[in-house]
Amino acid sequence: MSAPHAGHRAISVLAGVLLAGTALAAPAVATGHQSGPGPASVTTQGEPSAAFVHKGRVIAKPAVNVRKNPNTSRPPLYSIPYGTVIELKCKVNGESVDGNPRWYLLEDESGWVAARWVENITAAPGKC
């Protein structure tokens, strides 16, 4: 086997520099339409985007009870009728309802609903 020629060594060094430069390059910032499922959104660099609203539909008949805390130990504050689309702020684990321990805080923070009785329309909200 013969020693590598000076030309091969220069190409190897050049390729290494190009690869390292690519790894250190700043990522591109997308501006414009965002592909994928869900509503389309347009943002530009430096412009604040609208907050995403998590939504669910009440599937409890005749209504889902809204509670002060994520449990059923106290009477409900009020009820939301079947089929109503509600806005959800965040989720926690609480008392299990029909095998489901998840509870959602309503966006307006007026109370909690058992996730067992809510069908997610958008992605579920994050933890509180």
Side-chain angles (χ1 to χ4, degrees):
M1 194 183 276
S2 63
H5 293 79
H8 289 130
R9 214 171 317 163
I11 291 172
S12 295
V13 169
L14 180 58
V17 169
L18 289 173
L19 288 173
T22 302
L24 297 174
V29 176
T31 59
H33 178 71
Q34 196 173 24
S35 64
S41 64
V42 178
T43 58
T44 58
Q45 189 173 5
E47 177 184 310
S49 62
F52 183 80
V53 178
H54 301 277
K55 293 183 180 183
R57 180 176 290 110
V58 175
I59 60 171
K61 291 183 180 178
V64 68
N65 290 324
V66 178
R67 307 217 177 238
K68 183 176 179 178
N69 296 304
N71 60 55
T72 61
S73 65
R74 312 249 332 168
L77 300 171
Y78 61 96
S79 296
I80 301 173
Y82 171 82
T84 303
V85 174
I86 56 177
E87 295 183 354
L88 311 169
K89 183 169 187 154
C90 59
K91 63 186 175 189
V92 298
N93 284 337
E95 178 185 338
S96 184
V97 174
D98 203 21
N100 187 341
R102 184 85 19 99
W103 287 74
Y104 294 130
L105 178 62
L106 296 174
E107 181 64 36
D108 65 4
E109 298 187 19
S110 63
W112 297 87
V113 293
R116 168 64 182 92
W117 306 117
V118 177
E119 173 186 53
N120 292 103
I121 296 172
T122 63
K127 294 181 178 179
C128 295

